Amino acid sequence: QVKLVESGGGLVQPGGSLRLSCAASGSIFSINVMGWYRQVPGKQRDMVARITSDGSTNYADSVKGRFTISRDNAKNTVSLQMNSLKAEDAAVYLCSAVIQRSSHIQSSEYWGQGTQVTVSS
């Protein structure tokens, strides 16, 4: 079984910073893409940032220059440094990882349960 656990959400004032972390554990052979998505009630889940195993990144236009995604391949973790937070960044942030559980099994996408980010004064 594979599990993704996020941490680091909370309440922050506009202009503030938060750092989200996600750890993957369980039966893991390799991890390809890891990423962060966000969702607000009644709206679709949107990609925030993604990073490949070799460190290539891409970001949603709305967070470019403010958010930075990073990963530690040895620890199977991915982090999201969020700076200059805005009210519109408030959402549940979910971690995603494309994981191959063994060399004989195709990769599948796994999701964490999400962590709430609230941006308010």
Side-chain angles (χ1 to χ4, degrees), residues 4 23 25 40-41 51-52 59 63 70 72 87 99 106-107 110 114 116:
L4 300 182
S25 62
V40 297
I51 184 168
T52 65
Y59 296 90
V63 307
S70 60
D72 185 329
I99 295 173
Q106 225 171 356
S107 296
Y110 294 85
Q116 179 71 50

Side-chain angles (χ1 to χ4, degrees), residues 18-81:
L18 276 178
R19 184 176 180 86
L20 306 181
S21 295
C22 172
S25 62
S27 178
I28 297 172
F29 175 72
S30 66
I31 303 179
N32 187 354
V33 179
M34 302 187 82
W36 289 95
Y37 291 71
R38 64 188 181 189
Q39 189 166 25
V40 297
K43 294 192 176 181
Q44 68 179 21
R45 185 174 296 180
D46 292 325
M47 190 276 292
V48 176
R50 292 184 300 187
I51 184 168
T52 65
S53 56
D54 64 0
S56 297
T57 59
N58 67 298
Y59 296 90
D61 288 342
S62 60
V63 307
K64 282 180 182 176
R66 299 188 298 122
F67 291 11
T68 302
I69 189 170
S70 60
R71 67 188 279 177
D72 185 329
N73 291 330
K75 296 181 179 179
N76 292 335
T77 59
V78 62
S79 297
L80 185 69
Q81 178 66 43

Side-chain angles (χ1 to χ4, degrees), residues 7-20 38-41 66-67 82 84-93 114-121:
S7 60
L11 171 65
V12 64
Q13 292 186 341
S17 298
L18 276 178
R19 184 176 180 86
L20 306 181
R38 64 188 181 189
Q39 189 166 25
V40 297
R66 299 188 298 122
F67 291 11
M82 305 186 293
S84 303
L85 283 159
K86 305 175 182 180
E88 51 263 41
D89 294 318
V92 173
Y93 282 71
T115 184
Q116 179 71 50
V117 171
T118 303
V119 184
S120 175
S121 54

